[in-house]
Short mmCIF file of all heavy atoms in Angstrom, two decimals:
data_model
loop_
_atom_site.label_atom_id
_atom_site.label_comp_id
_atom_site.label_asym_id
_atom_site.label_seq_id
_atom_site.Cartn_x
_atom_site.Cartn_y
_atom_site.Cartn_z
N MET P 1 82.80 143.27 1.02
CA MET P 1 82.26 141.94 1.04
C MET P 1 83.36 141.00 1.55
O MET P 1 84.42 140.92 0.97
CB MET P 1 81.82 141.54 -0.37
CG MET P 1 81.23 140.17 -0.45
SD MET P 1 80.85 139.60 -2.11
CE MET P 1 79.25 140.25 -2.37
N ASP P 2 83.05 140.33 2.63
CA ASP P 2 84.05 139.42 3.19
C ASP P 2 83.83 137.99 2.66
O ASP P 2 82.97 137.74 1.82
CB ASP P 2 84.02 139.46 4.71
CG ASP P 2 82.67 139.08 5.28
OD1 ASP P 2 81.72 138.97 4.49
OD2 ASP P 2 82.58 138.87 6.50
N ALA P 3 84.60 137.05 3.13
CA ALA P 3 84.58 135.68 2.62
C ALA P 3 83.25 134.98 2.89
O ALA P 3 82.78 134.20 2.06
CB ALA P 3 85.71 134.89 3.25
N THR P 4 82.62 135.29 4.00
CA THR P 4 81.34 134.66 4.34
C THR P 4 80.27 135.05 3.34
O THR P 4 79.49 134.21 2.88
CB THR P 4 80.90 135.07 5.77
OG1 THR P 4 81.96 134.80 6.67
CG2 THR P 4 79.66 134.31 6.18
N HIS P 5 80.23 136.33 3.00
CA HIS P 5 79.24 136.81 2.02
C HIS P 5 79.51 136.21 0.64
O HIS P 5 78.57 135.85 -0.09
CB HIS P 5 79.25 138.33 1.94
CG HIS P 5 78.66 138.99 3.13
ND1 HIS P 5 79.33 139.95 3.85
CD2 HIS P 5 77.46 138.83 3.76
CE1 HIS P 5 78.58 140.35 4.85
NE2 HIS P 5 77.44 139.68 4.82
N ALA P 6 80.76 136.09 0.28
CA ALA P 6 81.11 135.51 -1.03
C ALA P 6 80.71 134.04 -1.09
O ALA P 6 80.19 133.57 -2.11
CB ALA P 6 82.61 135.66 -1.28
N GLU P 7 80.94 133.31 -0.01
CA GLU P 7 80.53 131.92 0.02
C GLU P 7 79.02 131.77 -0.05
O GLU P 7 78.49 130.88 -0.72
CB GLU P 7 81.07 131.24 1.28
CG GLU P 7 82.55 130.99 1.26
CD GLU P 7 83.05 130.35 2.55
OE1 GLU P 7 82.19 129.92 3.36
OE2 GLU P 7 84.27 130.28 2.73
N ALA P 8 78.31 132.63 0.66
CA ALA P 8 76.84 132.58 0.63
C ALA P 8 76.33 132.89 -0.77
O ALA P 8 75.40 132.23 -1.27
CB ALA P 8 76.27 133.57 1.65
N LEU P 9 76.90 133.88 -1.42
CA LEU P 9 76.50 134.25 -2.78
C LEU P 9 76.80 133.10 -3.75
O LEU P 9 75.96 132.76 -4.58
CB LEU P 9 77.23 135.53 -3.22
CG LEU P 9 76.89 136.04 -4.61
CD1 LEU P 9 75.41 136.38 -4.70
CD2 LEU P 9 77.74 137.26 -4.94
N THR P 10 77.95 132.50 -3.62
CA THR P 10 78.32 131.36 -4.47
C THR P 10 77.35 130.19 -4.24
O THR P 10 76.90 129.55 -5.19
CB THR P 10 79.75 130.91 -4.18
OG1 THR P 10 80.64 132.01 -4.36
CG2 THR P 10 80.17 129.78 -5.08
N GLY P 11 77.01 129.93 -3.01
CA GLY P 11 76.08 128.85 -2.69
C GLY P 11 74.70 129.11 -3.27
O GLY P 11 74.07 128.21 -3.85
N MET P 12 74.21 130.35 -3.14
CA MET P 12 72.88 130.68 -3.68
C MET P 12 72.87 130.58 -5.19
O MET P 12 71.91 130.07 -5.79
CB MET P 12 72.46 132.08 -3.23
CG MET P 12 72.01 132.14 -1.78
SD MET P 12 71.22 133.69 -1.34
CE MET P 12 72.57 134.85 -1.53
N LEU P 13 73.92 131.06 -5.84
CA LEU P 13 73.99 130.97 -7.29
C LEU P 13 74.06 129.52 -7.76
O LEU P 13 73.45 129.14 -8.77
CB LEU P 13 75.19 131.76 -7.82
CG LEU P 13 75.07 133.28 -7.71
CD1 LEU P 13 76.36 133.95 -8.18
CD2 LEU P 13 73.89 133.79 -8.51
N THR P 14 74.79 128.69 -7.02
CA THR P 14 74.88 127.27 -7.35
C THR P 14 73.52 126.60 -7.25
O THR P 14 73.10 125.85 -8.14
CB THR P 14 75.88 126.56 -6.43
OG1 THR P 14 77.14 127.22 -6.53
CG2 THR P 14 76.03 125.10 -6.78
N VAL P 15 72.80 126.88 -6.19
CA VAL P 15 71.46 126.31 -6.02
C VAL P 15 70.53 126.81 -7.11
O VAL P 15 69.74 126.03 -7.67
CB VAL P 15 70.91 126.65 -4.62
CG1 VAL P 15 69.43 126.29 -4.51
CG2 VAL P 15 71.71 125.93 -3.55
N LEU P 16 70.61 128.07 -7.46
CA LEU P 16 69.77 128.63 -8.51
C LEU P 16 70.06 127.97 -9.86
O LEU P 16 69.14 127.62 -10.60
CB LEU P 16 69.98 130.15 -8.59
CG LEU P 16 69.12 130.89 -9.60
CD1 LEU P 16 67.65 130.74 -9.23
CD2 LEU P 16 69.52 132.35 -9.65
N VAL P 17 71.33 127.78 -10.18
CA VAL P 17 71.70 127.14 -11.44
C VAL P 17 71.21 125.69 -11.47
O VAL P 17 70.67 125.23 -12.49
CB VAL P 17 73.23 127.22 -11.66
CG1 VAL P 17 73.67 126.30 -12.79
CG2 VAL P 17 73.66 128.64 -11.94
N LEU P 18 71.36 124.97 -10.37
CA LEU P 18 70.87 123.60 -10.31
C LEU P 18 69.36 123.54 -10.47
O LEU P 18 68.82 122.65 -11.14
CB LEU P 18 71.30 122.93 -9.01
CG LEU P 18 72.79 122.60 -8.89
CD1 LEU P 18 73.11 122.08 -7.49
CD2 LEU P 18 73.20 121.60 -9.94
N LEU P 19 68.66 124.47 -9.85
CA LEU P 19 67.20 124.52 -9.97
C LEU P 19 66.79 124.75 -11.42
O LEU P 19 65.89 124.08 -11.93
CB LEU P 19 66.64 125.62 -9.07
CG LEU P 19 65.12 125.80 -9.10
CD1 LEU P 19 64.44 124.56 -8.53
CD2 LEU P 19 64.72 127.03 -8.33
N VAL P 20 67.46 125.67 -12.08
CA VAL P 20 67.15 125.95 -13.48
C VAL P 20 67.43 124.72 -14.34
O VAL P 20 66.64 124.36 -15.22
CB VAL P 20 67.96 127.18 -13.99
CG1 VAL P 20 67.88 127.30 -15.49
CG2 VAL P 20 67.45 128.44 -13.33
N LEU P 21 68.54 124.04 -14.09
CA LEU P 21 68.87 122.85 -14.86
C LEU P 21 67.86 121.72 -14.65
O LEU P 21 67.62 120.91 -15.55
CB LEU P 21 70.27 122.35 -14.52
CG LEU P 21 71.42 123.22 -15.03
CD1 LEU P 21 72.75 122.69 -14.50
CD2 LEU P 21 71.43 123.27 -16.54
N LEU P 22 67.27 121.64 -13.47
CA LEU P 22 66.28 120.60 -13.21
C LEU P 22 64.91 120.96 -13.78
O LEU P 22 64.17 120.08 -14.21
CB LEU P 22 66.15 120.36 -11.70
CG LEU P 22 67.34 119.66 -11.05
CD1 LEU P 22 67.16 119.63 -9.54
CD2 LEU P 22 67.49 118.26 -11.60
N VAL P 23 64.55 122.22 -13.78
CA VAL P 23 63.22 122.65 -14.20
C VAL P 23 63.14 122.88 -15.72
O VAL P 23 62.09 122.68 -16.32
CB VAL P 23 62.81 123.92 -13.43
CG1 VAL P 23 61.53 124.52 -13.96
CG2 VAL P 23 62.65 123.59 -11.95
N LEU P 24 64.24 123.26 -16.34
CA LEU P 24 64.23 123.61 -17.75
C LEU P 24 63.71 122.50 -18.66
O LEU P 24 62.88 122.78 -19.53
CB LEU P 24 65.62 124.07 -18.18
CG LEU P 24 65.74 124.68 -19.57
CD1 LEU P 24 64.89 125.94 -19.66
CD2 LEU P 24 67.19 125.01 -19.87
N PRO P 25 64.12 121.25 -18.52
CA PRO P 25 63.58 120.20 -19.41
C PRO P 25 62.05 120.06 -19.29
O PRO P 25 61.37 119.83 -20.29
CB PRO P 25 64.27 118.92 -18.94
CG PRO P 25 65.52 119.39 -18.30
CD PRO P 25 65.19 120.71 -17.68
N SER P 26 61.53 120.21 -18.10
CA SER P 26 60.07 120.12 -17.92
C SER P 26 59.37 121.27 -18.62
O SER P 26 58.34 121.06 -19.28
CB SER P 26 59.72 120.15 -16.44
OG SER P 26 60.25 119.04 -15.79
N LEU P 27 59.90 122.45 -18.51
CA LEU P 27 59.29 123.60 -19.18
C LEU P 27 59.35 123.46 -20.69
O LEU P 27 58.38 123.80 -21.39
CB LEU P 27 59.98 124.89 -18.74
CG LEU P 27 59.82 125.26 -17.26
CD1 LEU P 27 60.61 126.53 -16.93
CD2 LEU P 27 58.35 125.44 -16.93
N ILE P 28 60.45 122.94 -21.20
CA ILE P 28 60.55 122.73 -22.65
C ILE P 28 59.53 121.67 -23.09
O ILE P 28 58.87 121.83 -24.12
CB ILE P 28 61.99 122.30 -23.02
CG1 ILE P 28 62.94 123.47 -22.81
CG2 ILE P 28 62.06 121.79 -24.45
CD1 ILE P 28 64.41 123.11 -22.94
N GLY P 29 59.37 120.61 -22.31
CA GLY P 29 58.40 119.57 -22.63
C GLY P 29 56.98 120.09 -22.61
O GLY P 29 56.17 119.76 -23.49
N ILE P 30 56.65 120.91 -21.64
CA ILE P 30 55.30 121.48 -21.55
C ILE P 30 55.03 122.37 -22.76
O ILE P 30 53.96 122.31 -23.37
CB ILE P 30 55.14 122.27 -20.24
CG1 ILE P 30 55.10 121.30 -19.06
CG2 ILE P 30 53.88 123.13 -20.26
CD1 ILE P 30 55.18 121.97 -17.70
N ALA P 31 56.00 123.19 -23.14
CA ALA P 31 55.85 124.06 -24.30
C ALA P 31 55.66 123.23 -25.57
O ALA P 31 54.82 123.56 -26.42
CB ALA P 31 57.05 124.98 -24.43
N HIS P 32 56.40 122.16 -25.70
CA HIS P 32 56.28 121.30 -26.87
C HIS P 32 54.90 120.65 -26.93
O HIS P 32 54.26 120.60 -28.00
CB HIS P 32 57.37 120.23 -26.84
CG HIS P 32 57.34 119.32 -28.01
ND1 HIS P 32 56.73 118.09 -27.97
CD2 HIS P 32 57.82 119.47 -29.27
CE1 HIS P 32 56.85 117.52 -29.16
NE2 HIS P 32 57.50 118.33 -29.96
N GLU P 33 54.42 120.14 -25.81
CA GLU P 33 53.10 119.51 -25.76
C GLU P 33 51.99 120.50 -26.11
O GLU P 33 51.06 120.17 -26.83
CB GLU P 33 52.84 118.91 -24.38
CG GLU P 33 53.68 117.69 -24.07
CD GLU P 33 53.32 116.50 -24.94
OE1 GLU P 33 52.13 116.32 -25.27
OE2 GLU P 33 54.24 115.77 -25.32
N ARG P 34 52.10 121.71 -25.61
CA ARG P 34 51.08 122.74 -25.92
C ARG P 34 51.08 123.06 -27.41
O ARG P 34 50.03 123.23 -28.01
CB ARG P 34 51.32 123.99 -25.10
CG ARG P 34 51.01 123.79 -23.61
CD ARG P 34 51.30 125.05 -22.84
NE ARG P 34 50.52 126.17 -23.31
CZ ARG P 34 49.50 126.70 -22.66
NH1 ARG P 34 49.15 126.20 -21.50
NH2 ARG P 34 48.85 127.73 -23.15
N ARG P 35 52.28 123.12 -28.00
CA ARG P 35 52.38 123.42 -29.44
C ARG P 35 51.76 122.29 -30.25
O ARG P 35 51.02 122.52 -31.21
CB ARG P 35 53.85 123.62 -29.81
CG ARG P 35 54.09 124.09 -31.20
CD ARG P 35 55.55 124.37 -31.43
NE ARG P 35 56.34 123.55 -30.52
CZ ARG P 35 57.46 123.94 -29.93
NH1 ARG P 35 57.95 125.11 -30.13
NH2 ARG P 35 58.12 123.15 -29.12
N VAL P 36 52.03 121.03 -29.87
CA VAL P 36 51.45 119.89 -30.58
C VAL P 36 49.93 119.89 -30.41
O VAL P 36 49.20 119.66 -31.39
CB VAL P 36 52.07 118.57 -30.06
CG1 VAL P 36 51.31 117.36 -30.58
CG2 VAL P 36 53.53 118.48 -30.46
N ASP P 37 49.44 120.12 -29.21
CA ASP P 37 47.99 120.17 -28.98
C ASP P 37 47.33 121.24 -29.83
O ASP P 37 46.25 121.04 -30.39
CB ASP P 37 47.68 120.42 -27.50
CG ASP P 37 47.99 119.21 -26.64
OD1 ASP P 37 48.14 118.11 -27.19
OD2 ASP P 37 48.10 119.39 -25.40
N ARG P 38 47.97 122.42 -29.92
CA ARG P 38 47.42 123.51 -30.72
C ARG P 38 47.36 123.11 -32.20
O ARG P 38 46.37 123.36 -32.87
CB ARG P 38 48.25 124.77 -30.53
CG ARG P 38 47.69 125.97 -31.24
CD ARG P 38 48.40 127.28 -30.89
NE ARG P 38 49.85 127.17 -30.97
CZ ARG P 38 50.68 127.28 -29.93
NH1 ARG P 38 50.20 127.48 -28.72
NH2 ARG P 38 51.98 127.19 -30.09
N ARG P 39 48.40 122.45 -32.70
CA ARG P 39 48.41 122.02 -34.11
C ARG P 39 47.34 120.97 -34.37
O ARG P 39 46.68 121.00 -35.41
CB ARG P 39 49.78 121.46 -34.48
CG ARG P 39 50.82 122.54 -34.61
CD ARG P 39 52.14 121.94 -35.02
NE ARG P 39 53.17 122.97 -35.13
CZ ARG P 39 54.44 122.72 -35.34
NH1 ARG P 39 54.86 121.47 -35.46
NH2 ARG P 39 55.31 123.70 -35.43
N ILE P 40 47.15 120.05 -33.44
CA ILE P 40 46.12 119.03 -33.60
C ILE P 40 44.74 119.69 -33.61
O ILE P 40 43.88 119.34 -34.43
CB ILE P 40 46.22 117.96 -32.49
CG1 ILE P 40 47.48 117.13 -32.68
CG2 ILE P 40 44.98 117.07 -32.46
CD1 ILE P 40 47.77 116.19 -31.53
N ARG P 41 44.52 120.62 -32.71
CA ARG P 41 43.24 121.32 -32.66
C ARG P 41 42.98 122.09 -33.95
O ARG P 41 41.88 122.05 -34.51
CB ARG P 41 43.22 122.27 -31.46
CG ARG P 41 41.84 122.81 -31.15
CD ARG P 41 41.81 123.71 -29.91
NE ARG P 41 42.78 123.39 -28.88
CZ ARG P 41 43.84 124.14 -28.58
NH1 ARG P 41 44.09 125.24 -29.22
NH2 ARG P 41 44.66 123.79 -27.61
N GLN P 42 44.00 122.79 -34.46
CA GLN P 42 43.85 123.54 -35.70
C GLN P 42 43.57 122.62 -36.88
O GLN P 42 42.74 122.93 -37.73
CB GLN P 42 45.10 124.37 -35.97
CG GLN P 42 45.27 125.54 -35.05
CD GLN P 42 46.62 126.24 -35.22
OE1 GLN P 42 47.50 125.74 -35.90
NE2 GLN P 42 46.76 127.39 -34.59
N ALA P 43 44.24 121.47 -36.91
CA ALA P 43 44.00 120.53 -38.00
C ALA P 43 42.58 119.98 -37.94
O ALA P 43 41.93 119.81 -38.98
CB ALA P 43 45.01 119.39 -37.93
N GLY P 44 42.09 119.70 -36.75
CA GLY P 44 40.72 119.22 -36.60
C GLY P 44 39.70 120.26 -37.03
O GLY P 44 38.72 119.94 -37.70
N GLU P 45 39.94 121.50 -36.66
CA GLU P 45 39.03 122.57 -37.06
C GLU P 45 39.06 122.77 -38.58
O GLU P 45 38.02 122.98 -39.20
CB GLU P 45 39.40 123.88 -36.35
CG GLU P 45 39.13 123.84 -34.86
CD GLU P 45 39.68 125.06 -34.12
OE1 GLU P 45 40.34 125.90 -34.77
OE2 GLU P 45 39.47 125.15 -32.90
N ALA P 46 40.24 122.70 -39.17
CA ALA P 46 40.36 122.86 -40.62
C ALA P 46 39.65 121.71 -41.34
O ALA P 46 39.01 121.92 -42.37
CB ALA P 46 41.83 122.92 -41.03
N ARG P 47 39.77 120.49 -40.79
CA ARG P 47 39.11 119.35 -41.41
C ARG P 47 37.59 119.50 -41.33
O ARG P 47 36.88 119.20 -42.29
CB ARG P 47 39.53 118.07 -40.71
CG ARG P 47 38.84 116.84 -41.29
CD ARG P 47 39.28 115.58 -40.61
NE ARG P 47 40.62 115.26 -41.07
CZ ARG P 47 41.36 114.30 -40.58
NH1 ARG P 47 40.90 113.58 -39.57
NH2 ARG P 47 42.55 114.04 -41.05
N GLU P 48 37.08 119.99 -40.19
CA GLU P 48 35.64 120.18 -40.06
C GLU P 48 35.14 121.24 -41.02
O GLU P 48 34.09 121.10 -41.62
CB GLU P 48 35.29 120.57 -38.62
CG GLU P 48 35.38 119.41 -37.65
CD GLU P 48 35.04 119.85 -36.23
OE1 GLU P 48 34.69 121.03 -36.03
OE2 GLU P 48 35.14 119.00 -35.32
N GLU P 49 35.88 122.34 -41.17
CA GLU P 49 35.47 123.41 -42.07
C GLU P 49 35.52 122.96 -43.53
O GLU P 49 34.65 123.28 -44.32
CB GLU P 49 36.37 124.63 -41.88
CG GLU P 49 36.16 125.35 -40.57
CD GLU P 49 37.14 126.49 -40.37
OE1 GLU P 49 37.93 126.76 -41.30
OE2 GLU P 49 37.11 127.10 -39.29
N ALA P 50 36.54 122.20 -43.90
CA ALA P 50 36.72 121.80 -45.29
C ALA P 50 35.77 120.67 -45.70
O ALA P 50 35.23 120.68 -46.80
CB ALA P 50 38.16 121.36 -45.54
N GLY P 51 35.56 119.73 -44.82
CA GLY P 51 34.79 118.54 -45.18
C GLY P 51 33.30 118.67 -44.96
O GLY P 51 32.52 118.04 -45.66
N GLY P 52 32.88 119.45 -44.03
CA GLY P 52 31.48 119.52 -43.70
C GLY P 52 31.03 118.30 -42.93
O GLY P 52 30.61 118.37 -41.80
N GLN P 53 31.10 117.13 -43.57
CA GLN P 53 30.74 115.89 -42.91
C GLN P 53 32.01 115.07 -42.73
O GLN P 53 32.81 114.96 -43.64
CB GLN P 53 29.75 115.11 -43.76
CG GLN P 53 29.24 113.87 -43.09
CD GLN P 53 28.24 113.14 -43.98
OE1 GLN P 53 28.15 113.42 -45.16
NE2 GLN P 53 27.50 112.23 -43.40
N LYS P 54 32.16 114.49 -41.57
CA LYS P 54 33.36 113.72 -41.29
C LYS P 54 33.31 112.39 -42.04
O LYS P 54 32.31 111.70 -42.01
CB LYS P 54 33.50 113.46 -39.79
CG LYS P 54 33.77 114.68 -38.98
CD LYS P 54 33.96 114.33 -37.53
CE LYS P 54 34.22 115.55 -36.70
NZ LYS P 54 34.37 115.24 -35.29
N SER P 55 34.38 112.07 -42.70
CA SER P 55 34.48 110.76 -43.34
C SER P 55 35.61 110.01 -42.66
O SER P 55 36.65 110.56 -42.36
CB SER P 55 34.77 110.91 -44.83
OG SER P 55 36.01 111.53 -45.02
N SER P 56 35.38 108.74 -42.47
CA SER P 56 36.38 107.94 -41.78
C SER P 56 37.39 107.42 -42.79
O SER P 56 37.05 106.81 -43.79
CB SER P 56 35.70 106.77 -41.08
OG SER P 56 36.67 105.97 -40.47
N SER P 57 38.65 107.69 -42.52
CA SER P 57 39.71 107.18 -43.39
C SER P 57 40.30 105.91 -42.81
O SER P 57 41.27 105.39 -43.32
CB SER P 57 40.81 108.23 -43.54
OG SER P 57 41.38 108.51 -42.29
N ARG P 58 39.69 105.39 -41.77
CA ARG P 58 40.18 104.19 -41.13
C ARG P 58 39.79 102.96 -41.94
O ARG P 58 38.78 102.92 -42.61
CB ARG P 58 39.59 104.03 -39.73
CG ARG P 58 40.17 104.95 -38.73
CD ARG P 58 39.54 104.65 -37.41
NE ARG P 58 40.39 105.11 -36.34
CZ ARG P 58 40.12 104.92 -35.07
NH1 ARG P 58 39.02 104.28 -34.73
NH2 ARG P 58 40.91 105.38 -34.14
N SER P 59 40.59 101.95 -41.81
CA SER P 59 40.32 100.68 -42.45
C SER P 59 39.18 99.99 -41.71
O SER P 59 39.00 100.15 -40.52
CB SER P 59 41.58 99.83 -42.40
OG SER P 59 41.29 98.52 -42.83
N THR P 60 38.41 99.20 -42.45
CA THR P 60 37.32 98.47 -41.80
C THR P 60 37.80 97.16 -41.20
O THR P 60 37.04 96.46 -40.57
CB THR P 60 36.20 98.18 -42.82
OG1 THR P 60 36.76 97.45 -43.92
CG2 THR P 60 35.57 99.47 -43.32
N VAL P 61 39.06 96.82 -41.40
CA VAL P 61 39.62 95.60 -40.83
C VAL P 61 39.89 95.85 -39.35
O VAL P 61 40.49 96.86 -38.99
CB VAL P 61 40.94 95.23 -41.56
CG1 VAL P 61 41.56 94.00 -40.94
CG2 VAL P 61 40.69 95.05 -43.04
N PRO P 62 39.43 94.95 -38.48
CA PRO P 62 39.66 95.17 -37.05
C PRO P 62 41.15 95.12 -36.71
O PRO P 62 41.93 94.44 -37.37
CB PRO P 62 38.91 94.03 -36.37
CG PRO P 62 38.67 93.02 -37.42
CD PRO P 62 38.69 93.72 -38.73
N SER P 63 41.50 95.84 -35.70
CA SER P 63 42.89 95.88 -35.28
C SER P 63 43.28 94.57 -34.62
O SER P 63 42.44 93.74 -34.28
CB SER P 63 43.11 97.02 -34.29
OG SER P 63 42.47 96.72 -33.08
N THR P 64 44.57 94.38 -34.44
CA THR P 64 45.07 93.16 -33.80
C THR P 64 44.53 93.04 -32.38
O THR P 64 44.18 91.95 -31.93
CB THR P 64 46.61 93.18 -33.78
OG1 THR P 64 47.07 93.36 -35.11
CG2 THR P 64 47.17 91.91 -33.21
N ALA P 65 44.44 94.17 -31.67
CA ALA P 65 43.93 94.13 -30.30
C ALA P 65 42.48 93.66 -30.28
O ALA P 65 42.09 92.87 -29.42
CB ALA P 65 44.06 95.50 -29.66
N THR P 66 41.67 94.12 -31.23
CA THR P 66 40.27 93.70 -31.29
C THR P 66 40.19 92.21 -31.61
O THR P 66 39.42 91.47 -31.01
CB THR P 66 39.53 94.50 -32.37
OG1 THR P 66 39.67 95.89 -32.08
CG2 THR P 66 38.06 94.14 -32.42
N TRP P 67 40.98 91.77 -32.57
CA TRP P 67 40.99 90.36 -32.95
C TRP P 67 41.39 89.49 -31.77
O TRP P 67 40.78 88.46 -31.51
CB TRP P 67 41.96 90.17 -34.12
CG TRP P 67 42.19 88.75 -34.48
CD1 TRP P 67 41.38 87.95 -35.24
CD2 TRP P 67 43.29 87.94 -34.08
NE1 TRP P 67 41.91 86.70 -35.34
CE2 TRP P 67 43.08 86.66 -34.64
CE3 TRP P 67 44.42 88.17 -33.31
CZ2 TRP P 67 43.98 85.61 -34.44
CZ3 TRP P 67 45.30 87.12 -33.13
CH2 TRP P 67 45.09 85.87 -33.68
N TYR P 68 42.41 89.91 -31.04
CA TYR P 68 42.88 89.14 -29.89
C TYR P 68 41.81 89.09 -28.80
O TYR P 68 41.55 88.04 -28.23
CB TYR P 68 44.17 89.76 -29.34
CG TYR P 68 44.73 89.03 -28.15
CD1 TYR P 68 45.40 87.83 -28.29
CD2 TYR P 68 44.59 89.56 -26.87
CE1 TYR P 68 45.92 87.16 -27.21
CE2 TYR P 68 45.10 88.89 -25.77
CZ TYR P 68 45.76 87.69 -25.96
OH TYR P 68 46.26 87.02 -24.87
N ALA P 69 41.18 90.23 -28.53
CA ALA P 69 40.16 90.28 -27.48
C ALA P 69 38.97 89.41 -27.84
O ALA P 69 38.42 88.71 -26.99
CB ALA P 69 39.72 91.72 -27.24
N GLU P 70 38.55 89.41 -29.10
CA GLU P 70 37.42 88.58 -29.51
C GLU P 70 37.77 87.11 -29.39
O GLU P 70 36.94 86.29 -28.99
CB GLU P 70 37.01 88.93 -30.94
CG GLU P 70 36.31 90.25 -31.04
CD GLU P 70 36.01 90.65 -32.48
OE1 GLU P 70 36.42 89.91 -33.40
OE2 GLU P 70 35.38 91.69 -32.66
N GLY P 71 38.98 86.74 -29.74
CA GLY P 71 39.42 85.35 -29.61
C GLY P 71 39.43 84.91 -28.16
O GLY P 71 39.08 83.79 -27.83
N ARG P 72 39.85 85.80 -27.27
CA ARG P 72 39.91 85.47 -25.85
C ARG P 72 38.50 85.32 -25.28
O ARG P 72 38.25 84.48 -24.43
CB ARG P 72 40.65 86.56 -25.07
CG ARG P 72 42.09 86.75 -25.46
CD ARG P 72 42.97 85.72 -24.86
NE ARG P 72 43.02 85.90 -23.42
CZ ARG P 72 43.66 85.11 -22.59
NH1 ARG P 72 44.32 84.09 -23.06
NH2 ARG P 72 43.65 85.32 -21.31
N ARG P 73 37.56 86.15 -25.74
CA ARG P 73 36.20 86.09 -25.22
C ARG P 73 35.50 84.82 -25.68
O ARG P 73 34.62 84.31 -25.00
CB ARG P 73 35.40 87.31 -25.69
CG ARG P 73 35.58 88.49 -24.78
CD ARG P 73 34.64 89.60 -25.17
NE ARG P 73 35.50 90.70 -25.60
CZ ARG P 73 35.38 91.38 -26.72
NH1 ARG P 73 34.41 91.12 -27.54
NH2 ARG P 73 36.21 92.34 -27.00
N SER P 74 35.85 84.32 -26.85
CA SER P 74 35.13 83.16 -27.39
C SER P 74 35.55 81.86 -26.71
O SER P 74 34.85 80.86 -26.82
CB SER P 74 35.36 83.06 -28.90
OG SER P 74 36.72 82.80 -29.16
N LYS P 75 36.70 81.83 -26.06
CA LYS P 75 37.14 80.62 -25.38
C LYS P 75 36.39 80.44 -24.05
O LYS P 75 36.15 81.39 -23.33
CB LYS P 75 38.65 80.69 -25.11
CG LYS P 75 39.47 80.67 -26.37
CD LYS P 75 40.94 80.71 -26.04
CE LYS P 75 41.76 80.71 -27.32
NZ LYS P 75 43.18 80.77 -27.06
N LYS P 76 36.04 79.23 -23.80
CA LYS P 76 35.32 78.94 -22.56
C LYS P 76 36.32 78.66 -21.44
O LYS P 76 37.34 78.03 -21.65
CB LYS P 76 34.40 77.74 -22.73
CG LYS P 76 33.27 78.03 -23.69
CD LYS P 76 32.33 76.87 -23.75
CE LYS P 76 31.18 77.21 -24.69
NZ LYS P 76 30.21 76.12 -24.76
N LEU P 77 35.99 79.11 -20.26
CA LEU P 77 36.83 78.86 -19.10
C LEU P 77 36.53 77.47 -18.54
O LEU P 77 35.39 77.07 -18.43
CB LEU P 77 36.58 79.91 -18.03
CG LEU P 77 36.95 81.34 -18.40
CD1 LEU P 77 36.53 82.28 -17.27
CD2 LEU P 77 38.43 81.45 -18.62
N VAL P 78 37.58 76.76 -18.22
CA VAL P 78 37.42 75.42 -17.67
C VAL P 78 37.74 75.50 -16.19
O VAL P 78 38.81 75.92 -15.79
CB VAL P 78 38.38 74.43 -18.35
CG1 VAL P 78 38.25 73.04 -17.73
CG2 VAL P 78 38.14 74.40 -19.84
N SER P 79 36.78 75.13 -15.37
CA SER P 79 37.03 75.18 -13.92
C SER P 79 37.65 73.84 -13.49
O SER P 79 37.25 72.78 -13.94
CB SER P 79 35.74 75.43 -13.16
OG SER P 79 34.81 74.41 -13.44
N SER P 80 38.63 73.93 -12.64
CA SER P 80 39.32 72.70 -12.23
C SER P 80 38.98 72.32 -10.82
O SER P 80 38.46 73.01 -10.04
CB SER P 80 40.82 72.86 -12.38
OG SER P 80 41.27 74.06 -11.86
#
């Protein structure tokens, strides 16, 4: 193996390592998202099996976004 082959091998390995370093965070993120989605799905299925009928645990008080939107809708537009 002469110097040209060694340089080519070093260059290819460098590019491969850089590619792995760029792609690895995305692959870890995808795996994490899939795991979270699976847990959410399992929790939903367990809730359906245990409860039979869905009950809402949400508050009946409207959210801030709803309150803001209703206030904005009630104001009349003034044309100038």
